[in-house]
Amino acid sequence: MISELIETLSAQRDLNDAQLKALLETDRMDEALFFNADQKRREIYGTDVYIRGLIEFTNYCQNNCYYCGIRRDNAKAARYRLSKKEILDCCAEGYALGFRTFVLQGGEDPYFTDARVCEIVSEIRSCYPNCAITLSIGEKSRESYQAFFDAGANRYLLRHETANEQHYRKLHPGSMSLQNRKRCLYDLKDIGYQVGSGFMVGSPYQTTENLIEDLRFLQELQPAMIEIGPYITHTETPFAAFASGSLALTLRLIAVLRLMFPYALIPATTALGTIHPQGRELGLKAGANVVMPNLSPVRVRKLYDLYDNKICTGEESAQCRGCLESRVRSAGYKIVTSIGNPAEEKESC
Ligand code: SAM
Ligand code: FES
């Protein structure tokens, strides 16, 4: 029965809700599921793994998401911001190491006005015309997104976090809304960004039905990148007493995503590497094809403290790059120096 579901999903890229529920709630056929997902990624991407250089440039945030270690009300978080020069230095180091995508991620920090963001983006754009610039700085107005795009940003990462209204309310304070999150994602797409979205696996109160709604929302949005990782507890949040998400379910979802969205870019995330020493390698073997090593200066790495025991906080960028290179190789894939656009599906006649 489960093996039939895997074959149907591989061939048709979809299952009905009851079938998805059955597949997500059993570990009986995980090996077959991972095998099919890996076959699919090899058909489209071969063994290539794309790298994105992550620059965590501010941990100030005006939001108060209940799960997040850098939320506004965490008074114990030591706050930092990188200067424009420090950000450009990270890009220079990253470029020399073979990165062709820079991801500028941060909390929603009012210091970084649209004018400041545009100034940074346009300077990176003029130094690296052949690179992708990804922003991941949260919810903004359409006008702001347009201004960043005009300044040279061409990708945007904004996880929807959960596509279910009630679940969204349990994870976020009343000042935030799922409706606005979705509005942002559609605005970004409409403007012309390559959009990345996604969710945490095993976040507090999440049900299998919620996960299925997440998959349905992604089918509607059709993002270029789908980023999922396990929820990991942070002791200084209102969710301190909740358990972290599981490796097994995260891997199963990566494989399901690869079969539902064969052309998507799917990262093996740092959170996955945090809950298991080989988490990222296992993620690649389950269908992921992107890794996102850290390019932030070592002095701030520990401060971008989204969840407990986050890995890769002590190494220099070159060490991180080297470590991931050998991890990717040991899993049977290879890192490529490429801007790493999503593969395009050929029209069938
Ligand atoms: N402010 C931007 C935003 O809202 O998209 C980017 C920064 S935010 C910290 C990046 C992502 O970290 C979030 O989308 C969330 O899914 C993830 N995250 C936050 N807290 C987490 C936790 N405790 N465990 C796992 N992932 C977490
Ligand atoms: Fe703003 Fe997490 S609450 S980045």
Side-chain angles (χ1 to χ4, degrees):
M1 155 78 174
I2 297 293
S3 60
E4 280 166 32
L5 294 183
I6 295 172
E7 291 314 315
T8 309
L9 182 60
S10 307
Q12 296 177 7
R13 302 185 192 178
D14 206 2
L15 291 174
N16 67 35
D17 288 3
Q19 292 169 323
L20 277 173
K21 184 172 163 68
L23 188 55
L24 290 175
E25 289 185 345
T26 181
D27 61 4
R28 271 186 293 142
M29 297 295 294
D30 278 354
E31 289 311 316
L33 180 65
F34 300 159
F35 178 82
N36 277 29
D38 183 53
Q39 288 290 104
K40 188 66 79 183
R41 76 91 84 199
R42 283 171 192 267
E43 261 171 45
I44 295 164
Y45 288 102
T47 56
D48 289 359
V49 171
Y50 299 140
I51 49 173
R52 274 62 166 121
L54 189 59
I55 304 170
E56 296 161 336
F57 70 100
T58 173
N59 72 348
Y60 283 87
C61 190
Q62 64 187 6
N63 285 340
N64 234 344
C65 305
Y66 299 143
Y67 44 82
C68 182
I70 62 169
R71 62 198 300 273
R72 186 187 65 214
D73 287 354
N74 180 6
K76 292 200 179 154
R79 306 287 172 173
Y80 74 91
R81 289 183 184 108
L82 298 185
S83 66
K84 184 172 77 174
K85 176 170 182 320
E86 285 174 306
I87 296 171
L88 287 164
D89 287 349
C90 293
C91 294
E93 196 178 354
Y95 192 85
L97 289 168
F99 289 90
R100 296 296 175 266
T101 296
F102 304 116
V103 182
L104 269 56
Q105 191 181 84
E108 290 192 19
D109 179 355
Y111 169 84
F112 285 101
T113 56
D114 288 2
R116 287 195 169 109
V117 172
C118 287
E119 192 187 322
I120 293 165
V121 167
S122 56
E123 206 146 328
I124 300 176
R125 174 54 62 229
S126 65
C127 295
Y128 306 100
N130 62 338
C131 289
I133 302 173
T134 307
L135 291 176
S136 178
I137 53 175
E139 297 176 23
K140 306 278 176 186
S141 67
R142 184 180 175 118
E143 292 68 36
S144 301
Y145 289 145
Q146 185 68 57
F148 306 153
F149 189 80
D150 295 342
N154 50 352
R155 296 182 182 153
Y156 205 101
L157 267 182
L158 184 76
R159 294 183 181 184
H160 66 277
E161 312 294 3
T162 172
N164 177 275
E165 276 295 345
Q166 288 77 37
H167 188 215
Y168 194 91
R169 286 272 56 83
K170 289 181 178 158
L171 300 182
H172 302 96
S175 53
M176 297 176 73
S177 77
L178 177 57
Q179 195 193 4
N180 193 50
R181 200 88 181 164
K182 289 187 175 175
R183 189 272 305 158
C184 290
L185 286 162
Y186 285 109
D187 278 350
L188 288 161
K189 251 199 123 172
D190 205 41
I191 290 168
Y193 284 94
Q194 280 180 20
V195 171
S197 197
F199 54 90
M200 290 176 291
V201 178
S203 59
Y205 309 106
Q206 187 179 64
T207 62
T208 308
E209 284 70 20
N210 295 155
L211 290 170
I212 294 166
E213 273 185 81
D214 288 325
L215 298 174
R216 297 294 175 222
F217 172 66
L218 291 167
Q219 282 179 319
E220 188 187 296
L221 181 69
Q222 291 293 329
M225 179 184 272
I226 303 175
E227 194 189 56
I228 65 165
Y231 158 73
I232 303 178
T233 309
H234 189 294
T235 35
E236 296 299 329
T237 66
F239 287 162
F242 283 88
S244 297
S246 81
L247 173 76
L249 183 57
T250 309
L251 295 177
R252 205 172 301 140
L253 271 155
I254 288 177
V256 166
L257 286 169
R258 173 57 65 208
L259 295 174
M260 287 179 85
F261 305 91
Y263 290 83
L265 298 162
I266 302 178
T269 57
T270 306
L272 194 53
T274 299
I275 52 161
H276 187 281
Q278 264 78 53
R280 285 167 298 179
E281 292 89 319
L282 293 168
L284 293 171
K285 289 181 181 179
N289 63 335
V290 175
V291 287
M292 300 175 69
N294 207 315
L295 285 180
S296 312
V298 174
R299 71 170 179 84
V300 303
R301 295 256 182 112
K302 279 195 172 33
L303 305 180
Y304 200 78
D305 182 27
L306 306 184
Y307 44 79
D308 292 342
N309 306 314
K310 187 166 168 245
I311 55 165
C312 306
T313 57
E315 298 86 4
E316 295 290 343
S317 301
Q319 287 172 296
C320 256
R321 167 77 167 81
C323 163
L324 265 178
E325 177 106 45
S326 56
R327 284 175 182 273
V328 168
R329 202 179 321 114
S330 76
Y333 309 95
K334 66 168 196 309
I335 285 181
V336 292
T337 297
S338 158
I339 196 165
N341 283 322
E344 283 195 22
E345 185 161 15
K346 294 188 185 68
E347 294 282 328
S348 55
C349 34

